[in-house]
């Protein structure tokens, strides 16, 4: 009978005594695989998401100072011209118009109605429907607070706002309009400026045109927009698109305002995963040493018989180490199954959070095959290393000492 077959028979016969070691290594493998799998997948999704995000592919064009003779208005014609450039995926415009809000729930605030752009979507805290954007005619999204006023009570209500209508040069009068508040966003988001309220395009253009004293239909083709955001097809085309825009005479700058690291919760998982690999490796080493030493003491008579019938010390040592390695391999397989279950549960929990859902892809998040095999192999090596010293001591016992209690 070969040593491998004998070791396998011993593992089956001694399985009850090996439960502790197998359980320890199984849990160690499962936790390591699950934590590293989630962290690695999240890191990859975050890196790709940031690299190819709207923010990293956006080129901002602000309206030039009107006093400059070479200033080019950002009209709808300019928008169409930019959209036709090679490498451009979309062009998104921004217009603003101020309005006042005062009722029995709000003492009075001055806000700036702004057209919504997909490349700079505000973080919505609460809304009347799940898919808020694009906004419908007559809808606005307010900051949760503005100028010390709590605007949350306005959610879901139709409110009357005060805008400005042109009368003469430097003169205007108040005008009323009614809109519906369909969402609230985090007021810390100020990439479009402080005290911004997002509204549908038609409403913003109508208010801006009334303040300028012209028809809403002609405003985009004459006065134009405050800003245009050109989104390139990929991050690699940003430099070329920016150069083409500047050659047309527009002041173009790239926009890179999205986070370049994992959210804090995912970075924490990555750190904890690495620590767990070390800690659980040490526990596996200690568990293997303890279990192997105890088994060797309990099997001293068996070891004595093996040596008495001609087994050499090296053969006995190899047999004991093979038994531990087989137990570690079984635990690694069980750990993979348990790790898949843990990573699936962890992924589901992370997908339920709005701040982490975009970074978690797939139902089961395990490291790649190479990393998984390396980790499981390392755990088996740690178990064998922990068993080596007590196994060597047991194998070195003289047959008479090993059988003295027979």
């Amino acid at each position: 009978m070969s040593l491998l077959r004998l070791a396998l028979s011993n593992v089956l016969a001694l399985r009850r005594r090996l439960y502790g070691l197998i359980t320890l290594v199984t849990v160690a493998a499962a936790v390591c695989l699950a934590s590293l799998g989630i962290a690695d997948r999240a890191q990859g999704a975050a890196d790709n998401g940031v690299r190819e995000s709207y923010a990293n592919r956006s080129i901002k064009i602000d309206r030039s100072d009107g006093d400059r003779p070479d200033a080019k208005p950002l009209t709808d014609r300019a928008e169409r011209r930019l959209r036709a450039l090679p490498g451009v995926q979309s062009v998104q415009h921004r217009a603003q118009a101020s309005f006042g809000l005062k009722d029995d729930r709000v003492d009075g605030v001055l806000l700036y109605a702004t057209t919504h752009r997909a490349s700079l979507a505000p973080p919505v805290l609460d809304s009347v429907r799940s898919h808020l954007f694009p906004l419908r005619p007559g809808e606005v999204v307010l900051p949760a607070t503005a100028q010390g006023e709590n605007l949350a009570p306005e959610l879901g209500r139709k409110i009357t706002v005060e805008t400005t209508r042109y009368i003469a040069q430097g003169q205007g009068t108040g005008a009323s309009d009614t809109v519906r508040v369909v969402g609230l966003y985090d007021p810390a988001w100020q990439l479009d400026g402080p005290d911004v309220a997002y509204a549908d395009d038609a409403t913003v253009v109508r208010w801006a045109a009334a303040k300028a004293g012209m028809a809403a239909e002609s405003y985009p083709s004459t006065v134009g927009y405050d800003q245009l955001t050109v989104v390139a097809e990929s991050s690699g085309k940003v430099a070329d698109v920016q150069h083409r825009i500047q050659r047309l005479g527009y002041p173009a700058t790239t926009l890179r305002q999205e986070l370049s690291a994992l959210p804090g919760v995912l970075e924490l998982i990555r750190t904890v995963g690495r620590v767990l690999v070390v800690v659980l490796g040490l526990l596996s080493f200690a568990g293997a040493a303890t279990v192997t030493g105890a088994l060797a003491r309990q099997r001293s008579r068996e070891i004595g018989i093996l040596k008495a019938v001609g087994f050499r010390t090296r053969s006995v040592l190899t047999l004991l180490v093979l038994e531990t390695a087989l137990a570690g391999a079984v635990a690694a397989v069980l750990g993979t199954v348990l790790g898949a279950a843990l990573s699936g549960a962890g992924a589901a929990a992370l997908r339920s959070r709005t701040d982490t859902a975009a970074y978690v892809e797939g139902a089961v998040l395990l490291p790649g095959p190479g990393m998984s095999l390396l980790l499981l192999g390392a755990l088996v090596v740690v178990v064998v290393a922990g068993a080596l010293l007590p196994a060597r001591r047991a194998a070195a016992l003289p047959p008479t000492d090993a059988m003295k209690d027979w």
Side-chain angles (χ1 to χ4, degrees), residues 34-51:
S35 57
L36 290 179
I38 292 175
D40 286 343
R41 292 287 190 90
Q43 179 70 64
D47 290 343
N48 183 69
V50 170
R51 186 173 58 253

Side-chain angles (χ1 to χ4, degrees), residues 276-348:
L276 283 174
V277 169
V278 177
V279 173
L280 295 176
L282 293 175
L283 288 176
S284 299
F285 182 90
T290 303
V291 173
T292 304
L295 285 176
R297 287 189 296 270
Q298 295 173 8
R299 300 169 64 193
S300 60
R301 296 175 182 173
E302 178 187 337
I303 294 171
I305 293 174
L306 289 175
K307 301 195 72 173
V309 298
F311 275 76
R312 296 181 179 181
T313 298
R314 180 179 297 180
S315 299
V316 176
L317 174 61
T318 303
L319 178 63
L320 295 176
V321 171
L322 277 175
E323 292 173 3
T324 307
L326 287 172
V330 171
V333 173
L334 294 177
T336 302
V337 176
L338 180 58
L342 289 177
S343 69

Side-chain angles (χ1 to χ4, degrees), residues 77-98:
R77 181 175 179 273
E79 183 176 356
R80 291 192 298 270
R81 189 179 184 187
L82 293 171
R83 189 179 292 113
L85 290 176
V88 172
Q89 179 183 20
S90 64
V91 179
Q92 302 166 12
H93 54 251
R94 187 193 76 173
Q96 284 190 329
S98 61

